[in-house]
Amino acid sequence: MKSCVLLVSLLLASALAGCPNTAISTARTFASQFPSPSNQAIVITTDTVLETSPGVVLKSLTVRAKLYIKDANLELRTGFLKVEDGGYLIAGGSDCPINNKVKIILHGPS
């Protein structure tokens, strides 16, 4: 299976100034919303925090709300990642940069 690896060690905080930790504490966790996400087309419609690696390859991930990436060693594997109008992918902020390694791996057809 071919895959494309993006090492995300940059600051994606265009939606928020400062540190999004307050918002993260009120967002639902990815694991609680999608307990068995293997090969599923996931759509994020409420503010969600990705706090641990899902551990499986998602069919797709579409973001229509805020998806916060927690400052932890994470790996997100998916067929594609789409952030739609009104959606945000937020990792860190100007006052709290990401200090861990976050990998987003896009899997293509085999």
Side-chain angles (χ1 to χ4, degrees), residues 10-103:
L10 52 113
L11 183 62
L12 300 174
S14 60
L16 295 175
C19 188
N21 286 343
T22 302
I24 286 175
S25 67
T26 61
R28 296 178 65 191
T29 65
F30 185 90
S32 69
Q33 293 183 74
F34 310 105
S36 301
S38 183
N39 202 33
Q40 287 188 27
I42 303 293
V43 179
I44 303 291
T45 58
T46 61
D47 292 355
T48 302
V49 59
L50 181 64
E51 72 288 4
T52 60
S53 300
V56 296
V57 177
L58 309 177
K59 182 175 183 179
S60 63
L61 179 61
T62 303
V63 182
R64 295 181 180 157
K66 292 181 178 115
L67 177 59
Y68 298 99
I69 306 296
K70 191 169 181 176
D71 187 8
N73 288 321
L74 297 174
E75 183 173 286
L76 176 64
R77 298 181 294 152
T78 184
F80 73 83
L81 172 63
K82 181 178 181 183
V83 180
E84 294 186 340
D85 188 32
Y88 298 92
L89 177 63
I90 302 166
S94 58
D95 295 333
C96 56
I98 294 293
N99 295 306
N100 290 283
K101 186 181 289 187
V102 176
K103 293 182 186 179

